[in-house]
Amino acid sequence: MGIEPFTAEETFTGSDALIIVDPQNDFCPGGALAVAGGDEIMAGIGALALRFRHVVVTQDWHPAGHLSFASSHPDRQPFDRVTMPYGEQVLWPDHCIQGTAGAAFHPLVQAAIDRADLIIRKGYNPAVDSYSAFFENDRTTRTGLAGYLRDKQVRRCVFVGLAYDFCVAWSALDARREGFEAVILKEHARAIGMPIQGGTTIDEAEALFREADVRVV
């Protein structure tokens, strides 16, 4: 997939919303589910937020013992895949547990948190994971974000954060599903890049971006 250039002169308007996905300590180096280079994007996201009228932040917010944790499944290891009532689920290390330091926002993204109109907490249903900013992983339970953005007359969602091939990807695809334009600023995102049949989760996500007309810049 060709990556379009993005420059400091790119114009954002009042009909754009910056959606910052899970800029949390546990997803940064030293955290329980660290994404390589996750901390490198935080200061830039903070600066980027100053250019948007509408800023939304998502926060993974799991109860202890969440069913998406490998520790909740005897004889399973982190990154195994299992079938849940709502479909396939990757089992993760325990992460972003409510009220812990790992669930807190990375300190270098504080400028963006201060700018946020809305913080969406997701993954708090102990039986269902939630990657997307718009839906839980059952694909039917809404977070309320789409309605909020429509009320604010947002037309385009601009996504940054962690991780590019999971929560950012699912959020961007669901933005298209909900009728919004979707842009991912790849410079301000980092990926897990798990191996799968035929490639990696990055390849899988980018194939879906092409099909759904998600713009990656």
Side-chain angles (χ1 to χ4, degrees):
M1 180 174 61
I3 304 299
E4 301 176 41
F6 169 72
T7 69
E9 289 74 34
E10 177 116 356
T11 300
F12 300 110
T13 72
S15 64
D16 293 322
L18 180 66
I19 314 294
I20 305 168
V21 179
D22 299 353
Q24 294 167 260
N25 290 325
D26 265 348
F27 296 127
C28 291
L33 184 50
V35 179
D39 54 339
E40 299 170 355
I41 63 175
M42 295 301 166
I45 289 172
L48 183 66
L50 301 178
R51 299 170 55 192
F52 284 81
R53 178 179 176 185
H54 304 293
V55 177
V56 175
V57 182
T58 71
Q59 186 177 25
D60 238 20
W61 197 247
H62 295 305
H66 196 279
L67 283 183
S68 69
F69 294 165
S71 62
S72 298
H73 300 263
D75 304 320
R76 291 288 187 170
Q77 299 297 318
F79 309 109
D80 285 352
R81 293 174 182 260
V82 299
T83 300
M84 298 286 207
Y86 53 84
E88 185 179 74
Q89 172 69 51
V90 177
L91 296 180
W92 304 107
D94 293 23
H95 67 280
C96 295
I97 295 173
Q98 297 170 5
T100 64
F105 295 120
H106 191 281
L108 292 181
V109 81
Q110 189 59 48
I113 305 305
D114 293 343
R115 284 277 296 159
D117 307 310
L118 179 68
I119 296 174
I120 294 279
R121 285 178 165 169
K122 58 188 182 67
Y124 54 79
N125 181 338
V128 182
D129 206 359
S130 184
Y131 298 160
S132 171
F134 293 89
F135 289 91
E136 292 185 2
N137 284 10
D138 62 7
R139 317 305 297 136
T140 57
T141 304
R142 294 175 175 270
T143 66
L145 178 57
Y148 174 84
L149 295 176
R150 291 190 185 103
D151 285 347
K152 297 295 184 181
Q153 299 182 316
V154 168
R155 294 179 55 193
R156 182 171 68 163
C157 298
V158 179
F159 293 94
V160 297
L162 303 169
Y164 172 75
D165 45 343
F166 279 91
C167 295
V168 173
W170 284 49
S171 297
L173 292 165
D174 278 345
R176 296 293 298 130
R177 175 183 174 187
E178 290 296 304
F180 300 99
E181 297 177 43
V183 178
I184 299 173
L185 303 185
K186 197 170 185 180
E187 179 182 358
H188 296 284
R190 293 292 184 269
I192 295 175
M194 291 174 59
I196 58 173
Q197 185 174 4
T200 71
T201 48
I202 298 171
D203 301 319
E204 180 180 55
E206 292 185 341
L208 293 172
F209 296 159
R210 289 191 290 270
E211 293 174 9
D213 197 24
V214 172
R215 179 183 170 212
V216 180
V217 301

